[in-house]
Amino acid sequence: MQSSAGTEPDKRAYLDVVGVGKAFKGTSVMSDMDFRVARGELVSLLGPSGCGKTTLLRIIAGLTSADAGDILLDGRAITRVPAHRRNISVVFQSYALFPHLTVAENVAFGLRARSVPKSEIAPKVNEALQLVRMRDFADRPVSALSGGQQQRVAVARALVVDPVLLLLDEPFSALDRKLRETMQVELKSLLRDRDMTAIFVTHDQEEAMGVSDRIAVMNAGKIEQFATPSELYARPKSAFVMDFVGLSTRLRGQVQKTDGSVMQIETANGLVLAKGALGVGSDVTVGVRPELISPGAGENTISVTLADAMVLGAKTQLHGMSHTDDRLLCEVPGIQTALTRGQDVTFGWSVKDTLVYEAHR
Amino acid sequence: MRRLEHIGLLALPGLTFLAVIFALPLLMLLLKSFQIDGQFSLEEYRLFFSDDYNMSVLWRTLRVAALTTLLALLIAYPTAIAMSRANGIWLSIFLVAMVLPMSVGVVVKAFAWSIIFRTRGVLNDMLMSLGVIDAPIRMLFTETALIIGAANVFLPFMVLPIYAVLRQMDSRLPEAAASLGAAPVFRFFNVTLPLSLPGVVAGCAFVFSLAVSMYVIPSLIVGERQQTLSMLTARSFLYLRNEALGATISSILLIIAISVVLGSSWLANRLGARQ
Ligand SMILES: Nc1ncnc2c1ncn2[C@@H]1O[C@H](COP(=O)(O)OP(=O)(O)O)[C@@H](O)[C@H]1O
Ligand SMILES: [Mg+2]
């Protein structure tokens, strides 16, 4: 987390990952990772494939050991506690259901492992299966289930043991879009009802925004920004976060003049005004969210030729092409048929809506 | 349809070879054991089973095969687990260690063992100098030596099928079990072991069939004193010139082998169907 809190202990933290580092065969995957989650929070780890999300999850679960740093849960260091004594349940990407057991036996597994008396197991299993609407399948072998059903069983199996923390590694990635959306809504309300603290791993930003209170955007073993979905969308801290969370128009430019609060940025498409106080001469990336751009006038304007006008139902997407062949994306609410392909229009937006990031060379 | 014909054509040499060299003689042997003077009869079997000596040989053969299988399994299982977790150079070393001994003839091995097992051999000397025993004990020409020797020769046939099954197992399964609160021992008995059973069944079937019909190993290790069914077969054909007895024992061995194959594939199927 790159908040001002730094690495000072956070009184509210329930899960506290402190300075964790991990390398595989000499290649560092993450170093000095700090990550805090409050009790009852639903948090997403969002990032491109290979950025270390699964590794962080496995370190929290105790399935992979960290090379450096500590994991604290509810104020207690669990870094050296083996996975089976952490009481942290994991829903794996492939579900990892036991193929030799039935649905009910899969759900009962964690209870049997904890030596829960037989008489208590059956009602608990029943209740858990009821929760995910899989009671009718109790005696089926898991191989006879569809992807969505397997996922439900995996969730029931993870929740029935009353874990202190639930970790889910891309739990929806194997499901088709429709089912994925249903499952997201169901799972979220299920976890809320039980005040469960949970961490979702995902590379799908829409999913992250839908299911979580806060999102940690990861890139190459670092957390770039950890914030609420709306904060993340409205005020991305870096060009990476801006690109990864939502669509945007991107232009390259250089700061030409600044009065301390508004900068003039020179781009191939003319001057762009933005809030901020970067030094004159800085190379920058300029971004604008598509719904903040409107056809017509504005404090900033760029002339474009429409390459496409896509009616998507609730909104219409206008793809503009500037004379320098930069693509500009504009979204207007509702169905908009007045503007068509090939038309010349002006895209405009407010100074306060321009996002500016210093470009890395 | 055309493809099937092609497959048939390609398989023809192999099928012919097997039919002429393997199936036909076996069939003739089987027929021979069921007839006397050209008439169908179970007399040979009645004679065989009513003879106490023959029965003792049959039981010894089955007992030795069962114990050999058990010993091989006990040694092979941990080995297979280690192999399934090994990678790179270690895996290569394991595989070579499994396959290389197969290329050393059984005769050579048996001679090597006699150096170790004989009355003034390496093992006895070692045990005496350690003070475990006072006087040398007889090891060669005992059933124990036979079982140890046979388990040694057949070990790869037990390790490899178990290794193959463990290797295929999703490594997330033991991890899922751990995250559900299962300690290592619970994990082993409730996840790894049940999922490896098809490999165990295949390995046991291999080793048991091999051990029931082994001839060279008992001839070299225990000699004529303690006969097994195979040795008895050879004796009937070669020395006693009793072809009917030889055919009968061969048929019994064949029936045991077929039962093991059918039984194990049935069991493997049942285990597989659950997964
Ligand atoms: N067991 C492992 N051995 C070697 N490299 C690994 C191992 N697990 C992960 N890695 C590497 O660590 C990096 C992060 O992997 P991972 O945490 O799985 O990423 P993500 O889940 O974000 O896709 C990748 O480059 C991956 O190749
Ligand atoms: Mg992953």
Side-chain angles (χ1 to χ4, degrees), chain A residues 1-184:
Chain A
M1 188 161 65
Q2 302 189 328
S3 74
S4 54
T7 51
E8 286 162 39
D10 187 338
K11 291 279 187 296
R12 296 177 315 125
Y14 177 60
L15 172 73
D16 200 348
V17 174
V18 189
V20 161
K22 179 71 189 176
F24 289 109
K25 296 190 190 94
T27 311
S28 173
V29 174
M30 67 182 64
S31 59
D32 236 355
M33 165 69 69
D34 293 323
F35 177 59
R36 297 197 181 93
V37 177
R39 192 189 295 271
E41 227 184 348
L42 303 183
V43 163
S44 282
L45 280 174
L46 174 67
S49 184
C51 72
K53 308 180 297 289
T54 298
T55 304
L56 179 57
L57 208 70
R58 291 175 58 86
I59 289 173
I60 295 171
L63 299 173
T64 298
S65 61
D67 299 339
D70 270 306
I71 316 283
L72 287 91
L73 193 71
D74 213 1
R76 196 171 66 96
I78 56 166
T79 321
R80 256 151 224 94
V81 177
H84 65 273
R85 289 210 219 101
R86 290 193 185 189
N87 199 15
I88 296 176
S89 284
V90 182
V91 173
F92 290 86
Q93 191 165 5
S94 55
Y95 312 137
L97 297 179
F98 303 119
H100 59 300
L101 302 178
T102 64
V103 167
E105 287 167 339
N106 262 278
V107 177
F109 191 93
L111 298 171
R112 283 205 300 124
R114 285 165 165 76
S115 310
V116 172
K118 262 216 168 76
S119 57
E120 289 171 34
I121 290 181
K124 276 180 197 255
V125 167
N126 243 324
E127 190 198 346
L129 286 176
Q130 179 81 46
L131 210 60
V132 295
R133 296 187 284 108
M134 285 294 292
R135 226 165 90 174
D136 297 343
F137 297 82
D139 297 321
R140 302 265 183 98
V142 289
S143 55
L145 304 182
S146 70
Q149 292 169 333
Q150 289 193 16
Q151 207 230 15
R152 286 201 173 95
V153 175
V155 169
R157 183 178 73 171
L159 285 179
V160 76
V161 295
D162 247 327
V164 292
L165 179 64
L166 180 65
L167 307 177
L168 306 103
D169 194 354
E170 313 218 3
F172 309 109
S173 62
L175 308 179
D176 60 58
R177 196 187 168 89
K178 256 266 165 42
L179 187 57
R180 191 156 63 206
E181 282 164 6
T182 320
M183 297 296 289
Q184 284 165 6

Side-chain angles (χ1 to χ4, degrees), chain B residues 5 11-12 16 34 41 49 57-58 79 81 88 106 109 113 115 139 150 160 186 189-190 226 242 259 270-271:
Chain B
E5 283 163 23
L12 199 60
T16 317
F34 281 111
S41 155
F49 285 113
V57 172
L58 174 63
T79 312
I81 288 200
V106 176
K109 278 187 201 162
W113 294 329
I115 297 173
M139 294 184 203
L160 293 176
F186 188 92
F189 282 106
N190 289 278
Q226 301 195 17
N242 185 344
S259 329
R270 260 188 66 110
L271 290 168

Side-chain angles (χ1 to χ4, degrees), chain A residues 185-235:
Chain A
V185 174
E186 272 182 25
L187 191 56
K188 187 175 177 179
S189 71
L190 199 77
L191 298 180
R192 281 260 189 272
D193 289 348
R194 314 187 122 212
D195 277 329
M196 186 60 66
T197 313
I199 302 173
F200 290 87
V201 158
T202 176
H203 60 252
D204 177 342
Q205 57 102 6
E206 266 183 48
E207 180 177 309
M209 299 188 86
V211 296
S212 37
D213 301 320
R214 283 197 297 158
I215 301 171
V217 181
M218 272 185 85
N219 182 27
K222 288 251 176 299
I223 292 180
E224 296 242 343
Q225 188 171 2
F226 192 10
T228 61
S230 53
E231 166 95 14
L232 216 54
Y233 188 80
R235 281 183 291 281

